[in-house]
Amino acid sequence: TPRSSMSSANRSDRRSHVRAKFGLTKRENEILAWLTRGKSDQDIAEICRISRRTVEKHCENIFRKSGVETRTAAVIKALE
């Protein structure tokens, strides 16, 4: 439907904006998108087929690049 494709386009624009705003890699941006959906590190690891430790490292990079210290703060910044 046009409405669902519009929301998909908006999400894509938002992801590109967040990636550009904080200088995230594509993978970091993907991890952040899953964080905004409330997924745990273990969930994200399984979805992305990477180790939980790799997810943790990506999260550390996301926090550093976005200037925050917590998942919640990173999600809030991503959704602003």
Side-chain angles (χ1 to χ4, degrees):
T1 66
R3 183 179 175 138
S4 64
S5 63
M6 180 72 134
S7 65
S8 176
N10 288 341
R11 282 193 303 268
S12 178
D13 289 345
R14 182 183 300 155
R15 284 192 298 263
S16 295
H17 174 72
V18 170
R19 192 165 83 224
K21 182 176 178 181
F22 299 123
L24 302 181
T25 65
K26 285 184 180 183
R27 184 60 111 176
E28 290 165 351
N29 198 60
E30 179 183 11
I31 300 298
L32 182 56
W34 288 116
L35 292 177
T36 65
R37 292 175 177 90
K39 299 295 184 186
S40 69
D41 288 353
Q42 187 60 46
D43 292 338
I44 296 168
E46 291 171 11
I47 292 165
C48 296
R49 297 184 177 180
I50 57 178
S51 74
R52 188 178 56 78
R53 181 67 183 130
T54 300
V55 173
E56 291 169 358
K57 291 303 288 181
H58 284 306
C59 287
E60 289 172 16
N61 291 336
I62 292 164
F63 299 165
R64 180 178 46 79
K65 289 178 179 182
S66 61
V68 300
E69 295 182 8
T70 66
R71 298 170 83 89
T72 302
V75 167
I76 290 169
K77 272 202 162 187
L79 296 176
E80 288 179 333

Coordinates of all heavy atoms in Angstrom, one line a residue:
T1 N 0.8 -1.2 0.0 CA 0.0 0.0 0.0 C 0.9 1.2 0.0 O 2.0 1.2 0.5 CB -0.9 0.0 1.2 OG1 -0.1 0.2 2.4 CG2 -1.8 -1.2 1.3
P2 N 0.4 2.4 -0.5 CA 1.2 3.6 -0.5 C 1.6 4.0 0.9 O 2.7 4.5 1.1 CB 0.2 4.6 -1.1 CG -0.8 3.8 -1.9 CD -0.9 2.5 -1.2
R3 N 0.7 3.8 1.9 CA 1.0 4.2 3.2 C 2.2 3.4 3.8 O 3.1 4.0 4.4 CB -0.2 4.0 4.1 CG 0.0 4.5 5.5 CD -1.2 4.3 6.3 NE -0.9 4.7 7.7 CZ -1.7 5.3 8.5 NH1 -2.9 5.7 8.0 NH2 -1.4 5.6 9.7
S4 N 2.3 2.1 3.6 CA 3.4 1.3 4.1 C 4.7 1.6 3.4 O 5.7 1.7 4.0 CB 3.1 -0.2 4.0 OG 2.9 -0.6 2.7
S5 N 4.6 1.9 2.1 CA 5.8 2.3 1.4 C 6.4 3.6 1.8 O 7.5 3.9 1.9 CB 5.6 2.2 -0.1 OG 4.7 3.2 -0.6
M6 N 5.4 4.5 2.1 CA 5.8 5.8 2.6 C 6.5 5.7 4.0 O 7.6 6.3 4.1 CB 4.6 6.7 2.8 CG 4.9 8.1 3.2 SD 5.7 9.0 2.0 CE 4.8 10.5 2.1
S7 N 6.0 4.9 4.9 CA 6.7 4.8 6.2 C 8.0 4.1 6.0 O 9.0 4.4 6.7 CB 5.8 4.0 7.2 OG 5.6 2.7 6.7
S8 N 8.1 3.2 5.1 CA 9.4 2.5 4.8 C 10.4 3.5 4.3 O 11.6 3.5 4.7 CB 9.2 1.4 3.8 OG 10.4 0.8 3.4
A9 N 10.0 4.4 3.4 CA 10.9 5.5 2.9 C 11.3 6.4 4.0 O 12.5 6.8 4.0 CB 10.2 6.2 1.7
N10 N 10.4 6.7 4.9 CA 10.7 7.6 6.0 C 11.7 7.0 6.9 O 12.7 7.7 7.4 CB 9.5 8.0 6.8 CG 8.6 9.0 6.0 OD1 9.0 9.6 5.1 ND2 7.3 9.0 6.4
R11 N 11.6 5.7 7.2 CA 12.5 5.0 8.0 C 13.9 5.0 7.3 O 14.9 5.2 8.0 CB 12.1 3.6 8.3 CG 11.0 3.5 9.4 CD 10.8 2.0 9.8 NE 10.5 1.2 8.7 CZ 9.2 0.8 8.3 NH1 8.2 1.4 9.0 NH2 9.0 0.0 7.3
S12 N 14.0 4.8 6.0 CA 15.2 4.7 5.3 C 15.9 6.1 5.4 O 17.1 6.2 5.6 CB 15.0 4.3 3.9 OG 16.2 4.4 3.2
D13 N 15.1 7.2 5.2 CA 15.6 8.5 5.3 C 16.2 8.8 6.7 O 17.3 9.4 6.9 CB 14.6 9.6 5.0 CG 14.2 9.6 3.5 OD1 14.9 9.0 2.7 OD2 13.1 10.2 3.2
R14 N 15.5 8.4 7.7 CA 15.9 8.6 9.1 C 17.2 7.8 9.4 O 18.1 8.4 10.0 CB 14.8 8.1 10.1 CG 15.2 8.3 11.5 CD 14.2 7.8 12.5 NE 13.0 8.5 12.4 CZ 11.8 7.9 12.7 NH1 11.8 6.8 13.3 NH2 10.7 8.6 12.5
R15 N 17.3 6.6 8.9 CA 18.5 5.8 9.1 C 19.7 6.5 8.4 O 20.8 6.6 9.0 CB 18.4 4.4 8.6 CG 17.5 3.5 9.5 CD 17.6 2.1 9.1 NE 17.1 1.8 7.8 CZ 15.9 1.4 7.5 NH1 15.0 1.1 8.5 NH2 15.5 1.2 6.2
S16 N 19.5 7.0 7.2 CA 20.6 7.7 6.5 C 21.0 8.9 7.2 O 22.2 9.2 7.4 CB 20.2 8.0 5.1 OG 19.9 6.9 4.3
H17 N 20.0 9.6 7.8 CA 20.3 10.9 8.5 C 21.1 10.6 9.8 O 22.1 11.3 10.1 CB 19.0 11.6 8.9 CG 19.1 12.7 9.8 ND1 19.7 13.9 9.3 CD2 18.9 12.9 11.1 CE1 19.7 14.8 10.3 NE2 19.2 14.2 11.4
V18 N 20.7 9.5 10.5 CA 21.4 9.2 11.7 C 22.8 8.7 11.4 O 23.8 9.2 12.1 CB 20.7 8.0 12.5 CG1 21.5 7.5 13.6 CG2 19.3 8.6 13.0
R19 N 23.0 7.9 10.4 CA 24.3 7.5 10.0 C 25.2 8.7 9.7 O 26.4 8.7 10.1 CB 24.3 6.5 8.8 CG 25.6 5.8 8.6 CD 25.4 4.6 7.7 NE 25.4 5.0 6.3 CZ 24.6 4.6 5.4 NH1 23.6 3.7 5.7 NH2 24.7 5.0 4.2
A20 N 24.7 9.6 8.9 CA 25.5 10.8 8.5 C 25.7 11.7 9.7 O 26.8 12.2 9.9 CB 24.7 11.6 7.4
K21 N 24.7 11.8 10.6 CA 24.8 12.7 11.7 C 26.0 12.3 12.7 O 26.7 13.1 13.2 CB 23.5 12.8 12.4 CG 23.4 13.7 13.6 CD 22.0 13.7 14.2 CE 21.9 14.5 15.4 NZ 20.5 14.5 16.0
F22 N 26.1 11.0 12.9 CA 27.0 10.5 13.9 C 28.3 9.8 13.3 O 29.2 9.4 14.0 CB 26.4 9.5 14.9 CG 25.2 10.2 15.6 CD1 24.0 9.6 15.6 CD2 25.4 11.3 16.4 CE1 22.9 10.2 16.3 CE2 24.4 11.9 17.1 CZ 23.1 11.3 17.1
G23 N 28.3 9.7 12.0 CA 29.4 9.0 11.3 C 29.4 7.5 11.5 O 30.5 7.0 11.7
L24 N 28.3 6.9 11.6 CA 28.2 5.5 11.9 C 28.5 4.7 10.6 O 28.1 5.2 9.5 CB 26.8 5.1 12.4 CG 26.3 5.8 13.7 CD1 24.9 5.3 14.0 CD2 27.2 5.6 14.8
T25 N 29.0 3.5 10.8 CA 29.2 2.6 9.7 C 27.8 2.0 9.4 O 26.9 2.1 10.2 CB 30.1 1.4 10.0 OG1 29.5 0.7 11.1 CG2 31.5 2.0 10.4
K26 N 27.7 1.3 8.2 CA 26.4 0.7 7.9 C 26.0 -0.3 9.0 O 24.9 -0.4 9.3 CB 26.5 0.0 6.5 CG 26.4 1.0 5.4 CD 26.4 0.3 4.1 CE 26.4 1.3 2.9 NZ 26.3 0.6 1.6
R27 N 27.0 -1.1 9.5 CA 26.7 -2.1 10.5 C 26.3 -1.4 11.8 O 25.3 -1.9 12.4 CB 27.9 -3.0 10.7 CG 27.6 -4.1 11.7 CD 26.5 -5.0 11.2 NE 27.0 -6.3 10.8 CZ 26.3 -7.4 10.5 NH1 25.0 -7.3 10.4 NH2 26.9 -8.5 10.1
E28 N 27.0 -0.4 12.2 CA 26.6 0.3 13.4 C 25.2 0.9 13.3 O 24.4 0.8 14.2 CB 27.6 1.4 13.7 CG 28.9 0.9 14.2 CD 30.0 2.0 14.1 OE1 29.8 3.1 13.6 OE2 31.1 1.7 14.6
N29 N 24.9 1.4 12.1 CA 23.5 1.9 11.9 C 22.5 0.8 12.0 O 21.4 1.0 12.5 CB 23.5 2.6 10.5 CG 22.3 3.5 10.3 OD1 22.2 4.5 11.1 ND2 21.5 3.2 9.4
E30 N 22.8 -0.3 11.4 CA 21.9 -1.5 11.5 C 21.7 -1.9 13.0 O 20.6 -2.1 13.4 CB 22.5 -2.7 10.7 CG 21.6 -3.9 10.8 CD 22.3 -5.1 10.0 OE1 23.5 -5.0 9.6 OE2 21.6 -6.1 9.9
I31 N 22.8 -1.9 13.7 CA 22.7 -2.3 15.2 C 21.8 -1.3 15.9 O 20.9 -1.6 16.7 CB 24.1 -2.4 15.8 CG1 25.0 -3.4 15.1 CG2 24.0 -2.6 17.3 CD1 24.5 -4.8 15.2
L32 N 22.0 0.0 15.6 CA 21.2 1.1 16.2 C 19.7 0.9 15.9 O 18.9 1.1 16.7 CB 21.8 2.4 15.8 CG 21.0 3.6 16.5 CD1 21.0 3.6 18.0 CD2 21.7 4.9 16.0
A33 N 19.5 0.6 14.6 CA 18.1 0.4 14.2 C 17.4 -0.7 15.1 O 16.3 -0.6 15.5 CB 18.0 0.0 12.7
W34 N 18.2 -1.8 15.3 CA 17.6 -2.9 16.2 C 17.5 -2.4 17.6 O 16.5 -2.8 18.3 CB 18.5 -4.2 16.1 CG 18.3 -4.9 14.8 CD1 19.3 -5.0 13.8 CD2 17.1 -5.4 14.2 NE1 18.8 -5.7 12.7 CE2 17.5 -6.0 12.9 CE3 15.8 -5.6 14.7 CZ2 16.5 -6.6 12.1 CZ3 14.9 -6.2 13.9 CH2 15.3 -6.7 12.6
L35 N 18.4 -1.6 18.1 CA 18.3 -1.1 19.4 C 17.0 -0.2 19.6 O 16.3 -0.3 20.6 CB 19.5 -0.2 19.8 CG 20.8 -0.9 20.0 CD1 21.9 0.2 20.2 CD2 20.8 -1.9 21.1
T36 N 16.7 0.5 18.5 CA 15.4 1.3 18.6 C 14.2 0.5 18.6 O 13.1 1.0 19.0 CB 15.3 2.3 17.4 OG1 15.2 1.6 16.2 CG2 16.5 3.3 17.4
R37 N 14.3 -0.8 18.2 CA 13.2 -1.7 18.3 C 13.1 -2.5 19.5 O 12.4 -3.4 19.7 CB 13.2 -2.6 17.1 CG 13.0 -1.9 15.7 CD 13.2 -2.9 14.6 NE 12.9 -2.3 13.3 CZ 13.8 -1.6 12.5 NH1 15.0 -1.5 12.9 NH2 13.4 -1.1 11.4
G38 N 14.1 -2.2 20.5 CA 14.1 -2.8 21.8 C 14.7 -4.2 21.8 O 14.5 -4.9 22.8
K39 N 15.5 -4.5 20.8 CA 16.2 -5.8 20.8 C 17.4 -5.8 21.8 O 18.1 -4.9 21.9 CB 16.7 -6.2 19.4 CG 15.6 -6.2 18.4 CD 14.6 -7.4 18.7 CE 13.6 -7.5 17.6 NZ 12.6 -8.5 17.9
S40 N 17.6 -7.0 22.4 CA 18.7 -7.2 23.3 C 20.0 -7.5 22.4 O 19.9 -7.8 21.2 CB 18.5 -8.4 24.2 OG 18.5 -9.6 23.4
D41 N 21.1 -7.4 23.1 CA 22.4 -7.7 22.4 C 22.3 -9.2 21.8 O 22.8 -9.4 20.7 CB 23.6 -7.6 23.3 CG 23.9 -6.2 23.7 OD1 23.3 -5.3 23.1 OD2 24.8 -6.0 24.5
Q42 N 21.8 -10.1 22.6 CA 21.7 -11.5 22.1 C 20.8 -11.6 20.9 O 21.1 -12.3 20.0 CB 21.2 -12.4 23.2 CG 21.3 -13.9 22.9 CD 22.7 -14.3 22.5 OE1 23.7 -14.0 23.2 NE2 22.8 -15.1 21.4
D43 N 19.6 -10.9 21.0 CA 18.7 -10.9 19.9 C 19.4 -10.4 18.6 O 19.3 -11.0 17.5 CB 17.5 -10.0 20.1 CG 16.6 -10.5 21.2 OD1 16.6 -11.7 21.5 OD2 15.8 -9.7 21.8
I44 N 20.1 -9.2 18.7 CA 20.7 -8.6 17.6 C 21.8 -9.5 17.0 O 22.0 -9.7 15.8 CB 21.3 -7.2 18.0 CG1 20.2 -6.3 18.4 CG2 22.2 -6.7 16.8 CD1 20.7 -5.0 19.1
A45 N 22.6 -10.2 17.9 CA 23.6 -11.1 17.5 C 23.0 -12.2 16.6 O 23.6 -12.6 15.6 CB 24.3 -11.7 18.7
E46 N 21.9 -12.8 17.1 CA 21.2 -13.8 16.3 C 20.7 -13.3 15.0 O 20.9 -14.0 14.0 CB 20.1 -14.5 17.2 CG 20.7 -15.3 18.3 CD 19.6 -15.7 19.3 OE1 18.4 -15.6 19.0 OE2 20.0 -16.2 20.4
I47 N 20.1 -12.2 15.0 CA 19.5 -11.6 13.8 C 20.6 -11.3 12.7 O 20.5 -11.6 11.6 CB 18.7 -10.3 14.1 CG1 17.5 -10.6 14.9 CG2 18.4 -9.5 12.8 CD1 16.8 -9.4 15.6
C48 N 21.7 -10.7 13.2 CA 22.8 -10.3 12.3 C 23.9 -11.4 12.1 O 24.8 -11.2 11.3 CB 23.5 -9.1 12.9 SG 22.4 -7.6 13.0
R49 N 23.7 -12.5 12.8 CA 24.6 -13.7 12.7 C 26.0 -13.3 13.0 O 27.0 -13.5 12.3 CB 24.5 -14.3 11.3 CG 23.1 -14.9 11.1 CD 23.0 -15.6 9.8 NE 21.7 -16.2 9.7 CZ 21.3 -16.9 8.7 NH1 22.1 -17.1 7.7 NH2 20.1 -17.4 8.7
I50 N 26.2 -12.6 14.2 CA 27.5 -12.2 14.7 C 27.5 -12.5 16.2 O 26.4 -12.8 16.7 CB 27.8 -10.7 14.5 CG1 26.7 -9.8 15.1 CG2 27.9 -10.4 13.0 CD1 26.9 -8.3 14.9
S51 N 28.6 -12.4 16.8 CA 28.7 -12.8 18.2 C 28.1 -11.6 19.1 O 28.1 -10.5 18.6 CB 30.1 -13.0 18.7 OG 30.9 -11.8 18.7
R52 N 27.7 -12.0 20.3 CA 27.2 -11.0 21.2 C 28.2 -9.9 21.5 O 28.0 -8.7 21.6 CB 26.7 -11.6 22.5 CG 25.9 -10.7 23.4 CD 25.4 -11.4 24.6 NE 26.4 -12.1 25.4 CZ 27.3 -11.5 26.2 NH1 27.3 -10.2 26.4 NH2 28.2 -12.2 26.9
R53 N 29.5 -10.4 21.6 CA 30.6 -9.5 21.9 C 30.8 -8.5 20.8 O 31.1 -7.3 21.0 CB 31.9 -10.3 22.1 CG 33.1 -9.4 22.5 CD 32.9 -8.7 23.8 NE 34.0 -7.8 24.0 CZ 33.9 -6.5 24.4 NH1 32.7 -6.0 24.7 NH2 35.0 -5.8 24.6
T54 N 30.6 -8.9 19.6 CA 30.7 -8.0 18.4 C 29.6 -6.9 18.5 O 29.8 -5.8 18.2 CB 30.7 -8.8 17.1 OG1 31.8 -9.7 17.0 CG2 30.7 -7.8 15.9
V55 N 28.4 -7.4 18.9 CA 27.3 -6.4 19.1 C 27.7 -5.4 20.1 O 27.5 -4.2 20.0 CB 26.0 -7.1 19.4 CG1 24.9 -6.1 19.8 CG2 25.5 -8.0 18.3
E56 N 28.2 -5.9 21.2 CA 28.7 -5.0 22.3 C 29.7 -3.9 21.8 O 29.6 -2.8 22.2 CB 29.2 -5.8 23.5 CG 28.2 -6.6 24.2 CD 28.8 -7.6 25.2 OE1 30.1 -7.7 25.3 OE2 28.1 -8.3 25.9
K57 N 30.6 -4.4 21.0 CA 31.6 -3.5 20.5 C 31.0 -2.4 19.6 O 31.3 -1.2 19.6 CB 32.8 -4.2 19.7 CG 33.7 -5.1 20.6 CD 34.3 -4.3 21.7 CE 35.4 -3.3 21.2 NZ 36.1 -2.6 22.3
H58 N 30.1 -2.9 18.7 CA 29.3 -1.9 17.9 C 28.6 -0.9 18.7 O 28.6 0.3 18.4 CB 28.4 -2.6 16.9 CG 29.0 -3.3 15.8 ND1 29.9 -2.7 14.9 CD2 28.9 -4.6 15.4 CE1 30.3 -3.6 14.0 NE2 29.7 -4.7 14.2
C59 N 28.0 -1.4 19.8 CA 27.2 -0.5 20.7 C 28.2 0.5 21.3 O 27.9 1.7 21.4 CB 26.5 -1.3 21.8 SG 25.1 -2.1 21.2
E60 N 29.4 0.1 21.8 CA 30.4 1.0 22.3 C 30.7 2.1 21.3 O 30.8 3.3 21.7 CB 31.6 0.2 22.7 CG 31.5 -0.7 23.9 CD 32.7 -1.5 24.2 OE1 33.8 -1.3 23.6 OE2 32.6 -2.5 25.0
N61 N 30.9 1.7 20.1 CA 31.2 2.7 19.0 C 30.1 3.6 18.8 O 30.3 4.8 18.6 CB 31.6 1.9 17.7 CG 32.9 1.2 17.8 OD1 33.8 1.5 18.6 ND2 33.0 0.2 17.0
I62 N 28.9 3.1 18.8 CA 27.7 4.0 18.6 C 27.6 5.0 19.7 O 27.4 6.2 19.5 CB 26.4 3.1 18.5 CG1 26.4 2.3 17.3 CG2 25.1 4.0 18.7 CD1 25.4 1.1 17.3
F63 N 27.8 4.5 21.0 CA 27.7 5.4 22.1 C 28.8 6.5 22.0 O 28.5 7.7 22.2 CB 27.9 4.7 23.4 CG 26.9 3.6 23.7 CD1 27.1 2.7 24.7 CD2 25.7 3.5 23.0 CE1 26.2 1.7 25.0 CE2 24.7 2.5 23.3 CZ 25.0 1.6 24.3
R64 N 30.0 6.1 21.7 CA 31.1 7.1 21.6 C 30.8 8.1 20.5 O 31.0 9.3 20.7 CB 32.4 6.3 21.3 CG 33.6 7.2 21.2 CD 34.9 6.4 20.9 NE 34.8 5.4 19.9 CZ 34.8 5.6 18.6 NH1 35.0 6.8 18.1 NH2 34.7 4.5 17.8
K65 N 30.4 7.6 19.3 CA 30.2 8.5 18.2 C 29.0 9.5 18.4 O 29.0 10.6 17.9 CB 30.0 7.7 16.9 CG 31.3 7.0 16.4 CD 31.0 6.2 15.2 CE 32.3 5.5 14.7 NZ 32.0 4.7 13.4
S66 N 28.0 9.0 19.1 CA 26.9 9.8 19.3 C 26.9 10.6 20.6 O 26.0 11.4 20.9 CB 25.6 9.0 19.3 OG 25.6 8.0 20.3
G67 N 28.0 10.4 21.4 CA 28.2 11.2 22.6 C 27.3 10.9 23.8 O 26.9 11.7 24.6
V68 N 26.9 9.6 23.9 CA 26.1 9.1 25.0 C 26.7 8.0 25.7 O 27.8 7.4 25.3 CB 24.7 8.7 24.4 CG1 24.0 9.9 23.7 CG2 24.8 7.5 23.5
E69 N 26.1 7.6 26.8 CA 26.7 6.5 27.6 C 25.8 5.3 27.8 O 26.2 4.3 28.3 CB 27.1 7.1 29.0 CG 28.2 8.1 29.0 CD 28.6 8.6 30.3 OE1 28.1 8.0 31.3 OE2 29.4 9.6 30.4
T70 N 24.5 5.4 27.3 CA 23.6 4.3 27.5 C 22.8 4.0 26.2 O 22.7 4.9 25.4 CB 22.6 4.7 28.6 OG1 21.7 5.7 28.2 CG2 23.2 5.0 29.9
R71 N 22.2 2.8 26.2 CA 21.4 2.4 25.1 C 20.2 3.3 24.9 O 19.9 3.7 23.8 CB 20.8 1.0 25.3 CG 21.8 -0.1 25.5 CD 21.0 -1.3 26.0 NE 20.4 -2.0 24.9 CZ 21.0 -3.0 24.2 NH1 22.2 -3.4 24.5 NH2 20.3 -3.6 23.2
T72 N 19.6 3.7 26.1 CA 18.4 4.5 26.0 C 18.7 5.9 25.4 O 18.0 6.4 24.6 CB 17.8 4.7 27.5 OG1 17.5 3.4 28.0 CG2 16.6 5.5 27.5
A73 N 19.9 6.4 25.9 CA 20.3 7.7 25.3 C 20.5 7.6 23.8 O 20.2 8.6 23.1 CB 21.5 8.3 26.1
A74 N 21.2 6.6 23.4 CA 21.5 6.4 22.0 C 20.2 6.3 21.2 O 20.0 6.9 20.1 CB 22.3 5.1 21.8
V75 N 19.2 5.5 21.7 CA 17.9 5.4 21.0 C 17.2 6.7 20.9 O 16.7 7.1 19.9 CB 17.0 4.3 21.7 CG1 15.6 4.4 21.2 CG2 17.6 2.9 21.5
I76 N 17.2 7.5 22.0 CA 16.5 8.8 22.0 C 17.2 9.7 21.0 O 16.5 10.3 20.2 CB 16.6 9.4 23.4 CG1 15.7 8.7 24.4 CG2 16.2 10.9 23.4 CD1 15.9 9.0 25.8
K77 N 18.5 9.7 20.9 CA 19.2 10.6 19.9 C 18.8 10.1 18.5 O 18.7 10.9 17.6 CB 20.7 10.5 20.1 CG 21.2 11.6 21.1 CD 22.6 11.9 20.9 CE 23.0 13.2 21.5 NZ 24.3 13.6 21.2
A78 N 18.8 8.8 18.3 CA 18.5 8.3 17.0 C 17.1 8.7 16.5 O 16.8 8.9 15.3 CB 18.6 6.8 17.0
L79 N 16.1 8.7 17.5 CA 14.8 9.0 17.1 C 14.4 10.5 17.1 O 13.3 10.9 16.7 CB 13.8 8.3 18.1 CG 13.9 6.8 18.1 CD1 13.0 6.2 19.2 CD2 13.5 6.2 16.7
E80 N 15.4 11.4 17.5 CA 15.1 12.8 17.5 C 15.1 13.3 16.1 O 15.7 12.9 15.2 CB 16.3 13.6 18.2 CG 16.2 13.4 19.7 CD 17.3 14.1 20.5 OE1 18.4 14.3 19.9 OE2 17.0 14.5 21.6

